[in-house]
Amino acid sequence: MNQEEIYDKVWQDITVKNPRPFLEYKMDLIKKFFVGKNSGRALDIGCGDGVFTFNLIKQGYTVDAIDISLEAIKSTKDRLEKSGLTPCVNLFNKNIFEFEPNEKYDVILCLEVLEHIEQDTKALKQMNGWLNKGGILILSMPHRQDLWNYSDEVGGHCRRYSKEDVANKLNLANFEVEEIFDYGFPFIRFFVNGFCVPFAKKQKSQINPPKNSFFARKAGQILRNLCKIDNSFINNDKGINLVVLAKK
């Protein structure tokens, strides 16, 4: 299967009501960058099932959302239709190098996407060209190449990043790095490496969230609360993910 087919299969298996505790925790970490701002136009690159698109719209942004997976676009549309927010978004089934925006943006989200792109510096330069002056780019990506695991392989990742790697590439793309930190230690790292990765290996599949049920929702709530353990260890260089705020 090519990458589009792999991602389509992943998003076919996910419904918008599935528990997403790790994504919700990521939202808690990044929302300070765009909540309470003057809103404007936003682009969600690799929108997945629309979790972050939904939150941008709720904060008053007019949103374009793109994804190379048609199934992901369908999931995003489903999420927004259920919330009555479909008129507030334009959805595009395109990759980053095919997409041509009509106007520039004030905010671009690119979460868990850059590691899939061979020409990542080229992609960053393209994003810079899409931003208004003073606009912000919010990135997240896997941290530390020595933490490479089975989920990177089946997820189609090209690399994991150090803070220095991503900062250097952002500088080459004419961005100014405002903030960069790692997160996901100790709990998320323990849970992913101790449970998610071995389970995925056994199933020979991607790591998908559990199907929606009362017990799955309760487990999701518990996991989201347990993620807060990691708040005390943010930016100790042991986290499995990076979050970056950069400015044009």
Side-chain angles (χ1 to χ4, degrees):
M1 290 192 295
N2 61 31
Q3 286 301 118
E4 288 84 353
E5 290 171 331
I6 291 171
Y7 301 143
D8 282 348
K9 179 64 173 66
V10 170
W11 293 112
Q12 281 172 354
D13 294 339
I14 295 176
T15 68
V16 298
K17 290 185 178 180
N18 281 352
R20 308 301 298 279
F22 296 146
L23 281 188
E24 291 167 3
Y25 179 67
K26 188 194 300 288
M27 176 58 68
D28 290 341
L29 294 176
I30 70 166
K31 65 184 180 183
K32 63 180 180 179
F33 297 142
F34 62 83
V35 170
K37 309 298 183 186
N38 293 326
S39 301
R41 285 177 50 79
L43 173 66
D44 187 3
I45 299 174
C47 60
D49 66 347
V51 171
F52 297 97
T53 301
F54 173 86
N55 279 275
L56 285 165
I57 293 171
K58 293 294 284 184
Q59 291 302 317
Y61 289 89
T62 300
V63 181
D64 288 345
I66 67 174
D67 203 291
I68 68 170
S69 167
L70 181 58
E71 293 300 324
I73 293 295
K74 289 177 181 177
S75 293
T76 296
K77 185 177 181 182
D78 187 27
R79 178 184 295 279
L80 298 178
E81 283 180 344
K82 284 177 166 52
S83 303
L85 297 175
T86 310
C88 305
V89 66
N90 298 305
L91 299 172
F92 302 89
N93 179 209
K94 294 180 179 292
N95 71 44
I96 190 170
F97 297 120
E98 298 170 336
F99 179 64
E100 296 181 3
N102 294 321
E103 299 180 57
K104 293 195 174 185
Y105 301 99
D106 303 293
V107 175
I108 294 178
L109 291 188
C110 184
L111 308 178
E112 310 306 315
V113 171
L114 207 62
E115 66 272 15
H116 296 272
I117 302 174
E118 285 281 0
Q119 298 175 295
D120 54 350
T121 303
K122 179 182 176 182
L124 289 170
K125 289 178 179 178
Q126 191 151 310
M127 293 178 218
N128 186 284
W130 293 342
L131 279 169
N132 287 315
K133 186 176 181 180
I136 62 170
L137 171 65
I138 304 169
L139 295 168
S140 70
M141 67 276 289
H143 182 217
R144 291 180 42 167
Q145 190 65 27
D146 64 306
L147 295 179
W148 183 272
N149 59 52
Y150 179 76
S151 64
D152 294 299
E153 295 174 17
V154 297
H157 294 177
C158 301
R159 69 194 71 79
R160 299 176 73 95
Y161 290 85
S162 69
K163 295 170 188 174
E164 293 75 18
D165 289 338
V166 70
N168 288 337
K169 291 184 178 188
L170 283 164
N171 287 332
L172 287 172
N174 297 314
F175 280 102
E176 180 181 344
V177 178
E178 299 270 296
E179 188 170 344
I180 181 167
F181 61 87
D182 65 275
Y183 76 92
F185 178 86
F187 175 71
I188 296 176
R189 181 169 164 177
F190 168 77
F191 188 84
V192 168
N193 291 339
F195 293 93
C196 297
V197 172
F199 179 78
K201 273 187 174 181
K202 185 176 180 180
Q203 299 296 314
K204 296 183 180 179
S205 68
Q206 260 282 17
I207 299 172
N208 291 331
K211 297 299 182 183
N212 185 46
S213 69
F214 172 80
F215 294 106
R217 290 194 299 274
K218 287 297 180 184
Q221 291 172 6
I222 292 169
L223 283 174
R224 185 175 180 182
N225 286 329
L226 287 172
C227 286
K228 295 176 183 178
I229 294 170
D230 295 351
N231 289 347
S232 300
F233 300 90
I234 284 177
N235 215 24
N236 69 354
D237 213 37
K238 296 180 180 179
I240 63 172
N241 275 77
L242 290 176
V243 166
V244 187
L245 173 66
K247 188 174 182 180
K248 179 172 179 176

